[in-house]
């Protein structure tokens, strides 16, 4: 409770370099009783180059009121994965080099992803909402040449605003290929985004959607 993991003094970001096994372990893992934790101004790296699925993840957020801010994720699989579920999570002003997995796999309630920048992913989506309620994704600059940049897959109430979406599209709705009929994403606003070279896809099971004031830059190829 009331814990800060970060830099001090002057100089560059301190480096946390993973030398253990993988693939589903993380450099920083929080337990379900973690509360009011800030992880700030750190570098997360592994020996694997290029990134591959056997790399460790950067952060496993869990608990209540977690902040990950101004960190750099380098040769990791997932930068941040909240499959353990978080109540109250802020990820702000982080950067990610090319990852092998997700920048964010998201599960939980009351999450804000603000001002983050990603380079690419080899295998997965940039931000995927796996079972989320009340999520703000705003002012990010996201690139993905493998899959989508934002997938609102399962959950309720997502607001996607003023992001730059490069190459990878925005998806809304459950996994039509394998999801059961009851899976839904209900309540999505997509507003003021710039989307380059891609667009949006709405799957069956996407309900109550508002799309307004977005700009889609498309260069049709013969």
């Amino acid at each position: 409770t009331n814990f800060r993991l970060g830099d001090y003094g002057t100089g560059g970001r301190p480096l946390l370099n993973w030398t253990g096994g993988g693939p589903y372990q993380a450099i920083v893992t929080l337990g379900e009783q973690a509360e009011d934790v800030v992880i700030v101004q750190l570098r997360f790296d592994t020996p694997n180059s290029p990134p591959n699925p056997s790399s460790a993840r950067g952060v496993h957020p869990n608990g209540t009121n977690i902040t990950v801010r101004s960190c750099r994720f380098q040769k990791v699989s997932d930068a941040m994965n909240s499959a353990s579920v978080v109540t109250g999570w802020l990820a702000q002003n982080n950067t990610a080099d090319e990852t092998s997995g997700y920048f964010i796999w998201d599960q939980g309630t009351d999450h804000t992803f603000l001002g983050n920048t990603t380079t690419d992913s080899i295998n997965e989506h940039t931000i995927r909402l796996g079972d989320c309620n009340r999520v703000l994704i705003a002012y990010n600059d996201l690139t993905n040449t493998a899959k989508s940049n934002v997938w609102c897959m399962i959950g309720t109430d997502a607001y996607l605003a003023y992001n730059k979406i490069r190459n990878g599209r925005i998806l809304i709705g459950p996994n039509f290929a394998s999801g059961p009929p009851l899976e839904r994403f209900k309540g999505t606003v997509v507003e003021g985004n710039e989307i380059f070279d891609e667009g949006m896809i709405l799957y069956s099971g996407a309900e109550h959607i508002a799309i307004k004031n977005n700009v889609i830059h498309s260069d049709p190829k013969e």
Side-chain angles (χ1 to χ4, degrees):
T1 302
N2 298 327
F3 181 77
R4 181 186 187 276
L5 176 64
D7 64 338
Y8 66 94
T10 60
R13 294 182 180 93
L15 172 63
L16 300 181
N17 189 37
W18 178 264
T19 58
Y24 301 113
Q25 301 179 68
I27 297 172
V28 174
T29 297
L30 303 179
E32 63 181 6
Q33 294 180 329
E35 183 176 356
D36 301 327
V37 175
V38 175
I39 300 169
V40 60
Q41 199 72 16
L42 297 174
R43 280 198 298 147
F44 295 83
D45 204 356
T46 75
N48 296 311
S49 182
N52 62 66
S54 66
S55 298
R57 295 166 174 173
V59 179
H60 278 173
N62 193 2
T64 304
N65 296 339
I66 308 302
T67 295
V68 182
R69 189 177 69 241
S70 300
C71 292
R72 180 182 176 188
F73 298 92
Q74 295 177 265
K75 297 185 291 292
V76 297
S77 55
D78 297 352
M80 293 168 277
N81 186 309
S82 67
S84 298
V85 181
V86 183
T87 301
W89 177 22
L90 170 65
Q92 182 178 12
N93 294 342
N94 301 289
T95 60
D97 298 349
E98 187 177 55
T99 62
S100 63
Y102 301 96
F103 175 60
I104 292 175
W105 170 276
D106 192 33
Q107 292 181 239
T109 302
D110 297 322
H111 296 173
T112 297
F113 306 138
L114 186 67
N116 302 286
T117 302
T118 67
T119 299
D120 203 357
S121 173
I122 295 175
N123 298 301
E124 290 298 346
H125 311 270
T126 305
I127 298 175
R128 184 171 179 175
L129 308 186
D131 189 1
C132 304
N133 303 293
R134 297 189 296 272
V135 181
L136 171 64
I137 302 173
Y139 297 102
N140 302 284
D141 193 329
L142 308 176
T143 300
N144 192 310
T145 59
K147 295 187 178 180
S148 63
N149 268 304
V150 179
W151 186 0
C152 300
M153 185 176 70
I154 302 173
T156 61
D157 301 322
Y159 185 39
L160 284 59
Y162 308 107
N163 301 285
K164 292 187 183 298
I165 303 295
R166 304 181 192 275
N167 296 108
R169 63 194 69 177
I170 293 173
L171 305 180
I172 304 173
N175 189 345
F176 70 94
S178 60
L182 293 179
E183 289 186 349
R184 294 286 187 272
F185 204 101
K186 299 182 178 181
T188 307
V189 177
V190 184
E191 178 179 5
N193 301 281
E194 276 194 277
I195 304 172
F196 299 87
D197 300 318
E198 274 287 358
M200 286 178 270
I201 293 180
L202 310 182
Y203 289 153
S204 298
E207 301 180 2
H208 309 298
I209 303 164
I211 300 173
K212 54 185 180 179
N213 298 330
N214 301 279
V215 177
I216 300 176
H217 302 273
S218 180
D219 181 12
K221 297 177 176 59
E222 297 181 1

